[in-house]
Amino acid sequence: MRHAQDGAAAAMNAVSRVLVARGKHEPQELENPDVSWGQRTRDGVWAPTRDGQRIHIGIDCSGGDQLPTVLRPSLRVFVGVEVDTDIVAQTTSTGVRLLTVLHGPDAPTEFRFPLSLADGLGLEAMPSGSYDVVHLRYGATVGRFYNPWACDSMFRPVKADYVLDGTAMVMRVQHPGSFYPVVADPLYSR
């Protein structure tokens, strides 16, 4: 248990430093009754769409059976999801953030988030690198996976993007040569 607490503290420290440096325009952690977290890492989260439906975002990782360290109902840390990798998960007023913390050069460069969309919803790639969740009948955007950003401990940008692999959103983070920890931010919002 001590390892999980130390890992959670290290991940939270890295995320806090980066979010403070990025400024006040970042989505704030907030309790949201429309967001439901699973018990284990791989269970992921159910998040709302603008049309009242929900999507499921899983976390596909080698540490998928682990329990999170729950700091508050709106904040949990998944320690050791992969080699040298933790996820700080925040509930926001309109969705969720899965702040991925890479602690060293052995951390993976790809992170899989399997998606389950409600009937009648699909994903559409945007020119910005984001993906919209679209109501297929009406063409309306009901949610968005914002283009991920990443930076290292010197606050230098690190290249991050998404690719779709079947029903999984894959975040790629090109972190070799970075100063660790590196923080990457997948953000979903309705």
Side-chain angles (χ1 to χ4, degrees):
M1 184 65 170
R2 187 73 192 144
H3 171 68
Q5 290 173 344
D6 292 345
M12 282 300 304
N13 183 43
V15 165
S16 295
R17 287 182 59 230
V18 168
L19 292 181
V20 166
R22 284 184 60 87
K24 63 183 176 185
H25 298 291
E26 289 296 312
Q28 298 299 305
E29 173 197 340
L30 187 68
E31 286 191 50
N32 182 338
D34 295 328
V35 173
S36 299
W37 292 94
Q39 290 188 351
R40 301 197 176 277
T41 304
R42 81 175 71 256
D43 297 336
V45 62
W46 288 263
T49 61
R50 271 193 212 126
D51 65 346
Q53 299 188 74
R54 290 161 57 101
I55 67 168
H56 178 257
I57 306 166
I59 303 172
D60 186 7
C61 59
S62 62
D65 289 330
Q66 296 178 21
L67 299 173
T69 301
V70 179
L71 302 175
R72 293 183 287 277
S74 56
L75 182 65
R76 58 202 65 234
V77 182
F78 299 97
V79 176
V81 296
E82 292 290 352
V83 173
D84 285 340
T85 306
D86 303 321
I87 292 179
V88 176
Q90 292 180 334
T91 302
T92 69
S93 63
T94 59
V96 295
R97 296 178 92 163
L98 297 168
L99 293 148
T100 307
V101 183
L102 293 69
H103 295 284
D106 293 333
T109 56
E110 292 189 352
F111 302 91
R112 296 179 64 79
F113 301 99
L115 303 176
S116 296
L117 303 176
D119 286 341
L121 299 181
L123 289 173
E124 187 175 325
M126 297 288 108
S128 66
S130 64
Y131 278 84
D132 281 1
V133 179
V134 176
H135 190 286
L136 297 174
R137 183 172 181 191
Y138 301 110
T141 297
V142 297
R144 176 171 291 146
F145 288 91
Y146 286 88
N147 192 26
W149 58 260
C151 71
D152 68 11
S153 65
M154 301 298 287
F155 307 109
R156 296 182 313 176
V158 174
K159 184 171 173 43
D161 63 1
Y162 288 133
V163 293
L164 201 56
D165 182 15
T167 60
M169 184 77 64
V170 179
M171 179 179 65
R172 301 181 299 188
V173 183
Q174 297 178 17
H175 61 88
S178 298
F179 290 95
Y180 296 94
V182 168
V183 176
D185 183 26
L187 168 65
Y188 167 79
S189 184
R190 65 174 169 201

